Amino acid sequence: MQRNILITGGAGFIGSHVVRRLVHQYPNDQIINIDALTYAGNLMSLQDIQMLPNYTFVKADITDEQFILSIFEKYQITHVVHLAAESHVDRSIHDPLSFVKTNVIGTANLLNAARIVWKDNFGNKKFYHISTDEVFGSLGEQGMFSESTPYNPHSPYSASKASSDHLVRAYFDTYGLPVVISNCSNNYGSHQFPEKLIPLVVNNIVTRKNIPIYGAGNNVRDWLWVEDHARAIDLILSEGKLGETYCIGGNNEWKNIDLVKLICTLTDELLGRENGDSISLIQHVTDRLGHDQRYAIDATKLENELAWKPTQDFPQALKETIQWYLNNQDWVNAVTSGEYQKFYSLNYK
Ligand code: NAD
Ligand code: DAU
C-alpha cells in the first residue's frame, strides 16, 4: 500500500533528516512536508531533494484549522510524522505563549484534522508524535528515564511538549485514533540551528566570540546522532505498536563543560589553530532558569522490540558534525543573520 506521509516541521533540524531519509528509502510513498518556515525552518537544508517526484513542500502553519484540514484531504494523508514545534528551552523562558500555541494548539489541531478526515476508517493509518525526554523532568546522579517514568516537566517548552503528549494519548483513548509517541534525548548533527549548544559553540569558536556555559557546566545530557534518531523514527513509523511510547537515547552522557572542552579541542584541530586556543573563550554565565540537572534514556524497549541501537562512535561523529558546520558557512551565515542576533542579545545580556 502506498503511504502518503505528512511530515510537519520538515524544514527544521531533525525534520530535514527525516524527510531526506524517507524520500530516499520509500520512492513509492509520497512525502508531504509542511512547515511554517519560522526562524528555525530553512529550505536550504532540503535543496538536494526538492526536485524528487515523491516529495512535496507546502508552507503551512499547524495551528491553521482550515488549511490543515484541506491538506489532509488534498493529499489523502495516511500517515503523520509530527515534528513541528517551538523547540528551544531558552526561547520558551522569554516567550512561553508561542510554545503553548504551536506545541499544544498546533498538535491538537493536527490530531483533530486526522480524526475528522480519517473518520472511523483508521485501518492502515498512523499518527506518530515526536516528543522529548524533557517531559520526564530532571534526574539526579542515578537512574534513567524509561517509558514508565511519570511526567514532571519544568520549562514552558517541556510543559508544552508534555501537554501535547497527553493530547495524543487522549485521542487514542477517546477516539481510538491510531497513535504512537517517541521521547528522545538531545540530538546532534548537521543542520541544527546554532541557538543549541553544539552548533552555538562551534560558531562562537569560528567567530572568536565568548562561549557561554550556564552555571558551573555540570548539567548532563545524553547525546544521540540525528541520523540514528531518523532511523528510529522510520522504524517506529513502520513497526511501532499503536498506543505505545518508545524512549530513544544515545547511551552517551556528557557534562556540558566536558563536552564544550572536547568541541574546543576538535574545532581548533580542524581549523589548524593551536591546541587550547578556544578554551580561553569559555565564559561561565548566569544559569538557565529552572535548568534541568541531568537527562539519560533507557532505550531497552526499542532495542528489544524493534532491534534499534545507536550506531555512532561519539568523538568521531562529533568531529564530522563540526566539520559539516565549518564546510557550510553559507548555511550558518544565512541562519545567524537578523533575528538570531536579536535573540542572542536578549538571551546573553
Ligand atoms: P527545530 O526548531 O529545528 O525545527 C522545528 C521546525 O518546526 C522548524 O522547521 C519550524 O519552522 C517548524 N515550525 C515551528 N512552528 C511551526 C508551526 N506553527 N507550523 C508549522 N511548522 C512550524 O526543532 P528540532 O530540534 O528539529 O525538533 C523537532 C521535534 O523533535 C520537536 O518536536 C522537538 O520537540 C523534538 N525533539 C527534539 C530534540 C532535539 O534534540 N533537537 C530531541 C527530542 C525531541
Ligand atoms: O533533551 C531533548 C531536548 O534537547 C529537546 O527536546 C530540545 O528541543 C533541545 O533543544 C534540547 O534541549 P536542551 O535544553 O538540553 O539543549 P540545549 O542545546 O539548549 O542545551 C544543552 C545543555 O547546554 C543544557 O544543559 C543547557 C546548556 N547550555 C546551552 C546553551 C544554548 C549552555 O550551557 N549554554 C548555552 O549557551
Side-chain angles (χ1 to χ4, degrees):
M1 187 203 88
Q2 180 192 308
R3 299 179 300 180
N4 297 328
I5 306 173
L6 181 70
I7 299 186
T8 73
F13 165 47
I14 301 172
S16 65
H17 287 268
V18 173
V19 166
R20 183 174 299 99
R21 181 181 176 92
L22 296 190
V23 160
H24 287 308
Q25 292 275 117
Y26 305 106
N28 296 327
D29 289 340
Q30 284 296 319
I31 311 299
I32 300 98
N33 171 18
I34 62 167
D35 196 296
L37 300 181
T38 68
Y39 79 91
N42 187 349
L43 290 179
M44 272 172 85
S45 305
L46 292 167
Q47 265 168 353
D48 55 320
I49 57 131
Q50 65 187 0
M51 299 309 285
L52 292 180
N54 64 333
Y55 173 69
T56 306
F57 173 74
V58 182
K59 184 168 188 273
D61 186 326
I62 56 166
T63 64
D64 184 335
E65 216 177 308
Q66 288 313 314
F67 196 41
I68 294 299
L69 271 173
S70 74
I71 287 169
F72 268 81
E73 278 159 356
K74 176 170 178 189
Y75 296 99
Q76 297 179 26
I77 299 302
T78 58
H79 292 68
V80 177
V81 183
H82 174 34
L83 294 123
E86 288 294 339
S87 69
H88 191 36
V89 173
D90 294 325
R91 286 184 190 257
S92 82
I93 295 167
H94 298 297
D95 179 16
L97 293 190
S98 64
F99 282 68
V100 174
K101 185 170 179 221
T102 294
N103 300 356
V104 185
I105 310 281
T107 302
N109 190 38
L110 286 163
L111 288 163
N112 216 41
R115 177 180 74 87
I116 292 168
V117 176
W118 293 346
K119 296 197 186 82
D120 295 326
N121 183 14
F122 291 156
N124 297 325
K125 308 282 198 310
K126 200 176 235 182
F127 188 110
Y128 179 8
H129 176 61
I130 310 298
S131 192
T132 170
D133 59 359
E134 301 200 10
V135 298
F136 301 123
S138 180
L139 294 164
E141 302 258 303
Q142 303 295 319
M144 290 178 129
F145 298 135
S146 74
E147 291 77 9
S148 57
T149 306
Y151 277 39
N152 185 20
H154 297 128
S155 71
Y157 163 68
S158 53
S160 69
K161 290 296 292 188
S163 311
S164 64
D165 293 12
H166 291 321
L167 279 163
V168 174
R169 290 200 184 89
Y171 270 68
F172 178 76
D173 292 340
T174 309
Y175 307 109
L177 198 79
V179 306
V180 64
I181 299 179
S182 59
N183 297 83
C184 188
S185 65
N186 289 61
N187 284 215
Y188 69 93
S190 68
H191 302 92
Q192 186 170 31
F193 195 81
E195 64 192 352
K196 309 283 166 56
L197 183 69
I198 292 178
L200 182 144
V201 171
V202 176
N203 191 40
N204 285 18
I205 292 173
V206 171
T207 55
R208 292 191 192 275
K209 265 168 90 169
N210 283 337
I211 298 169
I213 303 268
Y214 295 151
N218 290 328
N219 305 70
V220 174
R221 297 292 183 266
D222 172 5
W223 293 94
L224 175 70
W225 187 42
V226 64
E227 286 293 334
D228 279 335
H229 189 189
R231 186 168 45 86
I233 290 173
D234 181 358
L235 259 178
I236 294 167
L237 179 65
S238 302
E239 295 174 33
K241 288 198 200 116
L242 298 183
E244 295 278 321
T245 294
Y246 295 88
C247 282
I248 312 172
N251 202 15
N252 179 36
E253 292 180 50
W254 284 79
K255 258 189 202 170
N256 292 340
I257 187 68
D258 296 338
L259 174 60
V260 168
K261 285 182 179 164
L262 176 62
I263 299 171
C264 288
T265 303
L266 293 173
T267 311
D268 283 347
E269 192 185 312
L270 291 169
L271 287 171
R273 291 185 189 167
E274 208 175 302
N275 188 12
D277 200 32
S278 307
I279 287 190
S280 60
L281 295 172
I282 292 176
Q283 187 184 36
H284 290 269
V285 299
T286 312
D287 208 351
R288 176 184 274 175
L289 297 177
H291 197 170
D292 287 336
Q293 176 53 37
R294 175 172 163 256
Y295 305 143
I297 284 276
D298 174 358
T300 307
K301 175 175 173 180
L302 188 57
E303 292 182 15
N304 288 347
E305 290 189 12
L306 301 185
W308 175 92
K309 260 188 188 310
T311 60
Q312 286 305 295
D313 166 60
F314 185 61
Q316 183 53 31
L318 180 63
K319 191 170 178 180
E320 286 166 19
T321 296
I322 296 169
Q323 187 68 67
W324 186 88
Y325 289 98
L326 300 181
N327 291 346
N328 288 275
Q329 281 299 309
D330 286 354
W331 186 94
V332 176
N333 292 339
V335 301
T336 52
S337 61
E339 195 278 343
Y340 180 73
Q341 300 301 332
K342 271 195 228 149
F343 166 73
Y344 203 94
S345 4
L346 173 71
N347 197 53
Y348 301 99
K349 323 188 243 248

